[in-house]
Amino acid sequence: NAGVTQTPKFRILKIGQSMTLQCTQDMNHNYMYWYRQDPGMGLKLIYYSVGAGITDKGEVPNGYNVSRSTTEDFPLRLELAAPSQTSVYFCASSTGQGGKLFFGSGTQLSVL
Amino acid sequence: QKEVEQNSGPLSVPEGAIASLNCTYSDRGSQSFFWYRQYSGKSPELIMFIYSNGDKEDGRFTAQLNKASQYVSLLIRDSQPSDSATYLCAVKDSEERTYKYIFGTGTRLKVLA
């Protein structure tokens, strides 16, 4: 099983550019999450989804958008990149109900 | 704002010693607690979870939970250099139908050979 797959692994953006971080999981999990991790910090929740067609904001949603058209995919969209969005982004999935999170390998994003 | 607090460290212990990592949380209704290990440049991986007050042991790892004090700890016995990593405490938000997890900033552990 591939688990949770994120692409790309690294990306450099210029201020004002847009991009989509891709996340797909093959475990048939209903719950999916996007976190960002700044250096020396913990994980901050950006958006999450409890199933196809249902998304909700986390702690730090400003500057991001998500969609969930299928159970497998949960892309994260940055519309107007800003230096403050330089971070490592992790996608995760879960069966829910207090279960463990399965993480992707992360995307390191720099906005210059 | 619900919070999970950890000492950032680094916590340095000699090889073979017991490493003790601590975590406090603000959400009194939380029922599920997790410890993740994160090596530098890698994604977090779950090492322990605990739902009930008391101790839970798995190999060299013991998780301890005290809901009255809102306190979770992780003990690592016979610490090895390979245990050197950042340990993240995570708590499931008690708000119904959200399934959100709140993470602490992590404690960096260094096991000295």
Side-chain angles (χ1 to χ4, degrees):
Chain A
N1 275 348
V4 179
T5 302
Q6 288 184 239
T7 57
K9 292 193 183 304
F10 304 94
R11 185 72 185 267
I12 298 175
L13 284 182
K14 294 183 180 178
I15 295 172
Q17 286 186 320
S18 301
M19 77 163 294
T20 299
L21 280 65
Q22 302 290 346
C23 176
T24 187
Q25 52 93 9
D26 62 0
M27 296 174 283
N28 201 34
H29 288 167
N30 282 327
Y31 302 90
M32 295 188 74
Y33 308 81
W34 275 105
Y35 287 92
R36 61 175 285 174
Q37 186 175 37
D38 297 329
M41 302 294 288
L43 299 164
K44 296 291 186 184
L45 182 63
I46 305 171
Y47 272 95
Y48 70 103
S49 170
V50 300
I54 307 170
T55 63
D56 204 350
K57 296 177 181 179
E59 302 169 79
V60 290
N62 291 344
Y64 306 96
N65 277 301
V66 294
S67 59
R68 183 96 182 269
S69 57
T70 66
T71 298
E72 293 78 20
D73 300 309
F74 190 41
L76 178 71
R77 178 85 177 159
L78 283 71
E79 289 294 349
L80 290 171
S84 61
Q85 293 178 305
T86 294
S87 191
V88 179
Y89 292 83
F90 289 103
C91 178
S93 72
S94 170
T95 57
Q97 300 168 5
K100 65 180 275 189
L101 290 170
F102 294 80
F103 285 88
S105 58
T107 296
Q108 187 167 331
L109 176 67
S110 295
V111 182
L112 305 174
Chain B
Q1 183 84 352
K2 295 172 182 175
E3 293 183 330
V4 174
E5 295 192 357
Q6 297 181 254
N7 188 321
S8 61
L11 172 66
S12 296
V13 300
E15 184 175 358
I18 296 175
S20 177
L21 297 92
N22 305 314
C23 167
T24 59
Y25 59 93
S26 64
D27 185 356
R28 184 168 286 280
S30 294
Q31 298 294 325
S32 305
F33 308 86
F34 306 84
W35 283 100
Y36 287 82
R37 177 176 62 199
Q38 186 177 25
Y39 292 114
S40 181
K42 301 295 186 182
S43 56
E45 58 177 330
L46 182 74
I47 53 171
M48 288 289 288
F49 62 90
I50 186 166
Y51 302 147
S52 304
N53 275 333
D55 295 1
K56 179 182 178 183
E57 188 174 320
D58 184 1
R60 296 186 297 113
F61 299 99
T62 299
Q64 298 176 317
L65 174 61
N66 184 326
K67 291 183 181 178
S69 300
Q70 296 174 239
Y71 179 91
V72 190
S73 65
L74 178 70
L75 300 177
I76 306 175
R77 289 182 300 281
D78 189 22
S79 295
Q80 301 296 309
S82 59
D83 295 325
S84 297
T86 296
Y87 290 80
L88 300 168
C89 175
V91 173
K92 184 180 173 298
D93 192 318
S94 65
E95 186 179 346
E96 287 188 16
R97 294 190 296 276
T98 62
Y99 298 102
K100 293 190 289 187
Y101 298 82
I102 306 161
F103 282 80
T105 55
T107 298
R108 191 155 63 96
L109 174 66
K110 288 181 156 182
V111 181
L112 307 172

